Amino acid sequence: MDSHSVPFVTYLEKIRDSADASRARATLAHLRRGLMREPWTDANVIRYVAPWLPLQGGERGERPYFLVASLFALHPEAGGTGNMGDHFANVRAHRQNDEAVERRFVALLSAHDEDISYHLRQAVAFCKANRIPVNWHRLFADVRSWGHPDRWVQRNWARAFWRTQRADPPDEADAVTELAQAAGDGETN
């Protein structure tokens, strides 16, 4: 989360930043194996994740821990800010073909709860390939809320991605003027 740290993510960061580099690499390699497996199927992943799992919540409450641990191990670079919409906007700002970036982002935004693991794996790999660090604290919180009926995570990501589309954001008076002009264009004399 932008203003708050998530203890589980802080734990993952401590693994990454460990003074024992070879042990940190080995631990991250174990966690990466979770990308291709269902939660609770690899004891090498379970031993790092299980101590952090909530006592209540079932599979739906546990899945974000396994997913974020594995994704973090894929791209553990520090320094990410904002949300996934900001990360994709950063990639778009440095590329010629922003339509391809937008298509990827729209696919991610459209992902159903049961498909989010696949789409986030693709998104994090895309960020890694483009040297964009991920805000893991924010992503963890967003993954936990992905299936919310209000889709507030998707709305926040969309705002972050598309907010730079218009060079000068309209103020309320501009919006009213544009609506009045549009209504006037549809009238016949």
Side-chain angles (χ1 to χ4, degrees):
M1 297 157 44
D2 294 332
S3 61
H4 301 94
S5 65
V6 174
F8 178 64
V9 175
T10 301
Y11 162 73
L12 295 173
E13 292 168 337
K14 286 180 183 174
I15 291 172
R16 175 197 63 210
D17 299 337
S18 169
D20 186 347
S22 63
R23 186 173 179 164
R25 280 192 304 276
T27 301
L28 292 174
H30 287 302
L31 291 173
R32 270 192 305 277
R33 286 189 216 152
L35 288 172
M36 299 306 193
R37 300 181 184 193
E38 286 296 311
W40 294 105
T41 58
D42 187 330
N44 285 311
V45 176
I46 295 168
R47 71 180 180 164
Y48 297 107
V49 176
W52 295 92
L53 295 176
L55 296 176
Q56 304 293 320
E59 183 183 345
R60 181 160 169 73
E62 296 169 351
R63 190 168 287 276
Y65 289 84
F66 285 96
L67 177 59
V68 170
S70 297
L71 292 172
F72 179 91
L74 175 64
H75 183 39
E77 186 177 341
T81 59
N83 62 37
M84 195 57 77
D86 293 302
H87 304 332
F88 269 72
N90 286 339
V91 172
R92 183 184 60 197
H94 296 97
R95 292 185 109 193
Q96 296 277 330
N97 184 356
D98 64 355
E99 286 180 26
V101 175
E102 188 166 339
R103 273 194 308 274
R104 282 178 177 266
F105 184 68
V106 167
L108 176 60
L109 275 186
S110 301
H112 295 284
D113 202 30
E114 62 273 2
D115 300 325
I116 194 61
S117 297
Y118 169 79
H119 288 280
L120 279 176
R121 191 169 51 244
Q122 301 301 315
V124 169
F126 185 64
C127 289
K128 179 180 181 178
N130 286 281
R131 296 183 177 100
I132 302 293
V134 173
N135 179 347
W136 293 104
H137 295 273
R138 177 79 261 150
L139 185 61
F140 180 80
D142 289 350
V143 167
R144 290 183 78 189
S145 298
W146 187 260
H148 192 278
D150 291 342
R151 295 181 52 87
W152 64 266
V153 172
Q154 293 88 331
R155 288 195 329 258
N156 287 340
W157 288 12
R159 283 185 194 106
F161 182 75
W162 281 295
R163 77 171 155 240
T164 59
Q165 291 285 33
R166 186 171 175 159
D168 57 331
D171 61 18
E172 197 171 320
D174 289 341
V176 170
T177 302
E178 286 178 18
L179 286 172
Q181 288 173 345
D185 291 341
E187 294 179 8
T188 57
N189 291 334

